[in-house]
Amino acid sequence: MTRLHASHWAAISESSFVGGMRLLFWVCRVFGRWPFRVVLYPVLAWYVLTKPAARRASMNYLDRVRAFAPAPNGWYGVLRHFGSFAEAILDKMLLWGGLFDKNLVSHLGMEPMRRLLDEKRGAVLVCTHLGNADLCRVLSNDVPGLKLTVLVHTRHAQAFNNMLASLDPRSQTNLLQVTEMNPATAMMLSERIGRGEFVVIAGDRVPVSPDPRVALAPFLGVEAPFPVGPYVLASILQCPLYMMFSTRVGRGYEVHFELLRESVRLPRKGRDEVLAQVAGDFAARLQHHCIRSPLEWFNFYDFWHLPHLDKNDAS
């Protein structure tokens, strides 16, 4: 069994936060959104007080993003940041509970994706922990022909998965637990891409591995480690590579689909340079959307730290 350093995202338990969200979800369903917010901040204050690592990670991120865009600082900023996270969690629960108005969601850049569906061509879709990525999965229930396989490592968040499953069992049906890619998994994904399906994988979390394969790219003024798995996967599967970013706008969301590469070719010589370039382009787009919505990026761990390196900034 792989033992993870405490700074790795997969070593962070979400069970206590989920317990509070169960209460808040009930408040929202019975009394509405504003009473939910009134009850929310005492819960958040308790969570921030008792989770120093998450608090420090939030402050660190907000300090970095404030060099590019206005963002709140100090404890107030952390509370606002966690408040946005709680709102996104609530929206996920409302989505899977059938209580979220999907007319409040705008899909931008969807036409190329629709053409792929018409041509029965699959693609790798790189998502992030910005906004509400579950909007893409719920969309797959409404768009004819759109089938997703979402690669996840969510055993650290089993309590939250169980809660979503209680709202809608379909929330768990297209998830594929993957810690490391092996030939059997690659073959299965290749078959799905060949049938015109989409493989969804996160591009802003380091793999669960004692020696993760990453590329360093500038992100909010400092080099940060980004996984190369999505780009290697697109190269193996010989398919287009898209990105998805979602951000909250008013009462609804904007979901942006953007082409990262029509194809990824990794030569034997210069392979690392190509991976670094693709990761850098992804990091630049993620930075763009973080600057537009500073409180919407939800990675509450030391993102600029590689777990197996004894230094704060990966370099």
Side-chain angles (χ1 to χ4, degrees):
M1 180 182 296
T2 302
R3 298 183 64 85
L4 295 170
H5 190 282
S7 64
H8 197 289
W9 60 266
I12 302 171
S13 172
E14 299 182 42
S15 58
S16 57
F17 195 85
V18 168
M21 286 308 303
R22 284 183 183 274
L23 168 65
L24 293 168
F25 181 56
W26 176 83
V27 170
C28 182
R29 290 190 64 176
V30 174
F31 300 105
R33 193 113 191 180
W34 275 107
F36 155 82
R37 288 170 176 154
V38 171
V39 178
L40 170 64
Y41 278 90
V43 176
L44 287 182
W46 171 83
Y47 188 84
V48 170
L49 281 171
T50 58
K51 302 294 181 182
R55 183 175 68 242
R56 287 193 300 270
S58 175
M59 285 185 177
N60 183 31
Y61 162 71
L62 292 174
D63 285 344
R64 295 188 190 281
V65 80
R66 204 162 39 249
F68 298 85
N73 60 6
W75 281 75
Y76 173 69
V78 172
L79 282 173
R80 289 277 310 278
H81 194 192
F82 273 95
S84 294
F85 181 50
E87 296 268 2
I89 293 287
L90 174 65
D91 287 338
K92 287 187 180 187
M93 297 163 72
L94 294 173
L95 273 167
W96 290 113
L99 302 172
F100 190 89
D101 184 359
K102 296 177 186 177
N103 293 322
L104 297 175
V105 181
S106 301
H107 298 97
L108 307 176
M110 189 69 186
E111 284 310 308
M113 308 278 287
R114 293 189 187 278
R115 285 196 292 270
L116 287 176
L117 290 176
D118 293 340
E119 298 167 4
K120 297 190 182 303
R121 295 174 59 207
V124 170
L125 182 61
V126 186
C127 68
T128 72
H129 291 81
L130 181 81
N132 191 343
D134 277 32
L135 289 166
C136 179
R137 296 175 56 210
V138 175
L139 174 68
S140 70
N141 296 328
D142 302 327
V143 177
L146 178 59
K147 294 184 179 180
L148 305 177
T149 296
V150 185
L151 306 186
V152 296
H153 179 85
T154 58
R155 292 188 178 94
H156 68 295
Q158 196 58 50
F160 184 63
N161 293 336
N162 293 340
M163 181 172 60
L164 291 183
S166 69
L167 297 172
D168 187 342
R170 291 179 301 174
S171 68
Q172 307 301 304
T173 55
N174 55 1
L175 301 181
L176 180 63
Q177 292 283 348
V178 175
T179 300
E180 293 183 353
M181 188 66 61
N182 56 49
T185 303
M187 186 175 299
M188 177 189 65
L189 296 178
S190 179
E191 292 173 354
R192 296 189 182 190
I193 289 289
R195 294 197 297 264
E197 300 182 15
F198 286 71
V199 174
V200 184
I201 182 171
D204 61 347
R205 281 194 176 175
V206 173
V208 181
S209 169
D211 188 20
R213 296 186 61 193
V214 300
L216 300 179
F219 179 59
L220 296 177
V222 183
E223 281 195 329
F226 286 87
V228 299
Y231 321 126
V232 174
L233 186 61
S235 173
I236 294 171
L237 300 180
Q238 299 180 359
C239 65
L241 183 64
Y242 278 82
M243 302 174 287
M244 188 194 87
F245 304 97
S246 69
T247 52
R248 189 174 182 85
V249 179
R251 294 171 53 228
Y253 283 89
E254 285 184 353
V255 182
H256 296 256
F257 294 96
E258 302 179 13
L259 177 67
L260 182 54
R261 291 289 190 278
E262 186 61 45
S263 63
V264 179
R265 301 187 183 278
L266 299 178
R268 291 187 178 181
K269 291 185 178 180
R271 175 188 177 95
D272 290 345
E273 287 78 5
V274 172
L275 289 171
Q277 184 178 40
V278 181
D281 290 345
F282 168 79
R285 295 308 299 162
L286 176 60
Q287 175 173 300
H288 167 80
H289 288 282
C290 285
I291 290 171
R292 289 180 69 243
S293 304
L295 297 176
E296 295 286 310
W297 192 56
F298 308 130
N299 268 332
F300 294 105
Y301 70 99
D302 188 356
F303 184 79
W304 286 264
H305 177 84
L306 273 173
H308 70 290
L309 295 178
D310 186 22
K311 49 188 171 184
N312 289 329
D313 292 324
S315 61

